[in-house]
Amino acid sequence: MPLWKIAWRSIQHRAVASVLTAFSMALGVALVVAVLVIYHVLDRSFRRSSQGYDMIVGSAKGGPLELVLSTVYYLQPPRGTIPYQVYEELHHGQFATEVAAAIPVCIGGSYAGYPVIATVPEMFEEFRYLGDHPYEFEENGRNFRDDAPFEAVIGATVARKAGLKVGDTFRITHGFGGQGGHEHPEQFTIVGVLKPTGTPNDRGIFVNIEGFWKLHLHDQHSSASSEEETQGEEQNTATGSSHEESEATHTENEKLLTAVLVKRDWTNTAKALALPQLVGREPGVQCVIPAEEVAKLFEGLLGNIQTVLLIFAVLIVVVAGIGLMVSIYNSMSERRLEIAIMRALGAKRTTVMAVILLESILLSLGGGAFGVCLGHGLIGAFSGVIFEETGVQISALSFQPIELVLVPGLIILASIVGYLPALIAYRTDVARALASGV
């Protein structure tokens, strides 16, 4: 009879203890699988946020990472603004020859907790996401137009969670993340819902930047009108006409942006590489390469978290392996007669030792296989939540190549923890065991 069959029958003989031992190993392996997949999800969530631009020009206030977190991921409010002239210089000014596309954005409002990004229609026409995927709209939807200042486009997650659709209207709340602030009276009309992109744009509400500026001009004028009312009707009339003049002046001179998204023209590599330094010399602005900042964040923070989690997961597997050793070791006293009979029937010491080691390996691999299934099963069960929170689609069948390391790892671990019981089997005194009858 093959040795593995003898080991398997021994496992069947102690079914309850074997199942519990294998289950403890399965839990450890499932945790390892979960850590690997979660890290992969975070990696994809951050690194796949490429949305067609490779440089961000923003305010010099705050650090580069803050600019990336506010502009790319919409995770925090921007620290400052830059003049509209910066965009003009990039779009058709002194830097235009090094720029393939420049898109202005202004972030500063929210609706239902989702960030509002004021921009231009070209954002969804000039840029591609995740490589070369064009932005697409759900059925009956379209991009907002230049000449319609109060049109808006929303991301897929916003549409699903907030229950918004094409034709609905909403008002922007001043402030970021729905914290405080007043609600602007003007309404934006949703004309398009973006198809899921797996990027932070799924959680964004995009409005025409002209309408966004009008909101703030209206606020300024309303505030000014309140002050005028306190100064008398005549003075109010006199200053009323000056508002129309000042509005035009504001429109031209006080258009503020939180950032400009830039896609460099790589037909001239030298100029493209030099562009961040050239633009960074302008007063009050900084240039950030988002890929570099994301890499620093991921490797400096998330990489360490993954290492810590993996250490804990591996420790759990090791503890499960020790449990496996204890289980087999405790069974040895009950198996002395069985081992003695095997030896009496001609089995060599090495054969008996090999059976015990095989038993340990079978339990480890069985528990490990169940752990992999359990881990991926949980991932499949929570894939919907993962997609909702990160925008990353992942299925239960999303295996990572590094999981293959689990197989030799479990065999090595099982061989180590099974060595002591196997050694006891190897040294079993046949005559004494047969004489004692146990």
Side-chain angles (χ1 to χ4, degrees):
M1 179 181 292
L3 295 182
W4 70 269
K5 281 191 175 181
I6 299 175
W8 177 244
R9 288 187 177 180
S10 178
I11 292 173
Q12 290 178 310
H13 182 67
R14 295 179 300 283
V16 175
S18 298
V19 167
L20 292 176
T21 302
F23 186 67
S24 66
M25 181 66 72
L27 291 178
V29 172
L31 185 58
V32 171
V33 171
V35 170
L36 293 174
V37 173
I38 288 172
Y39 180 83
H40 176 66
V41 168
L42 290 174
D43 180 73
R44 290 179 64 188
S45 180
F46 275 81
R47 296 183 191 274
R48 289 183 65 198
S49 296
S50 169
Q51 295 167 35
Y53 50 86
D54 53 21
M55 191 177 87
I56 302 172
V57 180
S59 170
K61 295 180 180 178
L65 182 57
E66 289 178 292
L67 183 58
V68 172
L69 292 178
S70 64
T71 306
V72 179
Y73 301 103
Y74 318 130
L75 293 177
Q76 65 178 47
R79 291 293 301 276
T81 57
I82 57 176
Y84 186 75
Q85 286 72 20
V86 174
Y87 161 70
E88 290 184 325
E89 293 293 341
L90 290 162
H91 186 52
H92 50 71
Q94 60 176 318
F95 305 116
T97 55
E98 293 91 351
V99 173
I103 301 295
V105 294
C106 197
I107 304 171
S110 64
Y111 174 77
Y114 295 101
V116 171
I117 302 98
T119 185
V120 293
E122 288 77 8
M123 180 170 184
F124 304 112
E125 299 166 358
E126 298 286 348
F127 291 159
R128 299 288 187 269
Y129 69 94
L130 304 183
D132 195 31
H133 297 275
Y135 287 98
E136 296 179 318
F137 296 90
E138 299 288 355
E139 190 176 359
N140 300 326
R142 60 171 174 81
N143 198 357
F144 58 80
R145 298 195 306 264
D146 275 324
D147 58 353
F150 290 101
E151 287 188 344
V153 166
I154 61 176
T157 300
V158 177
R160 187 170 55 256
K161 287 194 169 183
L164 296 175
K165 61 183 183 301
V166 173
D168 288 349
T169 59
F170 65 92
R171 292 186 174 89
I172 297 176
T173 299
H174 189 74
F176 191 84
Q179 298 177 352
H182 66 277
E183 189 176 77
H184 294 282
E186 292 84 355
Q187 289 187 333
F188 282 86
T189 301
I190 299 171
V191 297
V193 177
L194 289 172
K195 289 185 177 180
T197 63
T199 72
N201 282 349
D202 290 344
R203 296 182 289 103
I205 298 175
F206 302 88
V207 302
N208 191 318
I209 198 167
E210 293 292 339
F212 191 78
W213 282 327
K214 286 180 181 293
L215 296 184
H216 292 84
L217 286 175
H218 179 271
D219 282 353
Q220 292 172 16
H221 292 170
S222 297
S223 177
S225 297
S226 298
E227 294 178 1
E228 290 161 5
E229 287 176 0
T230 63
Q231 297 174 4
E233 185 177 349
E234 294 183 358
Q235 185 177 359
N236 185 34
T237 303
T239 55
S241 59
S242 66
H243 280 164
E244 296 179 0
E245 299 173 359
S246 65
E247 180 171 345
T249 304
H250 278 118
T251 303
E252 293 300 325
N253 299 331
E254 296 190 6
K255 289 180 178 179
L256 297 178
L257 305 172
T258 54
V260 180
L261 311 177
V262 178
K263 180 169 70 175
R264 286 177 283 180
D265 184 358
W266 290 98
T267 56
N268 189 324
T269 306
K271 285 188 174 182
L273 290 174
L275 184 61
Q277 287 74 29
L278 294 175
V279 179
R281 293 173 184 169
E282 297 294 314
V285 303
Q286 64 173 327
C287 290
V288 174
I289 309 300
E292 294 179 358
E293 298 304 319
V294 171
K296 291 177 185 175
L297 171 67
F298 200 79
E299 293 168 5
L301 176 62
L302 300 181
N304 292 333
I305 292 176
Q306 188 217 20
T307 302
V308 172
L309 290 175
L310 268 180
I311 289 174
F312 276 108
V314 170
L315 285 177
I316 291 175
V317 173
V318 170
V319 170
I322 294 173
L324 174 64
M325 179 185 68
V326 172
S327 175
I328 298 176
Y329 180 85
N330 289 336
S331 71
M332 295 309 297
S333 59
E334 303 172 358
R335 302 167 63 181
R336 290 184 186 280
L337 180 59
E338 174 187 332
I339 294 170
I341 293 173
M342 289 176 60
R343 291 287 313 282
L345 292 176
K348 299 178 180 178
R349 288 178 182 271
T350 53
T351 301
V352 176
M353 189 174 183
V355 169
I356 301 301
L357 285 174
L358 277 175
E359 184 178 333
S360 176
I361 291 172
L362 286 175
L363 282 173
S364 291
L365 290 180
F370 180 66
V372 171
C373 295
L374 180 62
H376 283 279
L378 291 174
I379 291 166
F382 288 99
S383 60
V385 177
I386 293 172
F387 178 75
E388 291 286 345
E389 298 300 326
T390 67
V392 175
Q393 289 180 315
I394 190 167
S395 71
L397 301 179
S398 299
F399 288 88
Q400 303 302 308
I402 197 172
E403 291 179 41
L404 296 175
V405 177
L406 289 172
V407 177
L410 288 174
I411 293 176
I412 293 173
L413 177 65
S415 300
I416 294 173
V417 301
Y419 180 75
L420 179 59
L423 187 62
I424 293 174
Y426 181 86
R427 293 178 175 176
T428 298
D429 188 324
V430 178
R432 182 177 296 177
L434 290 175
S436 62
V438 296

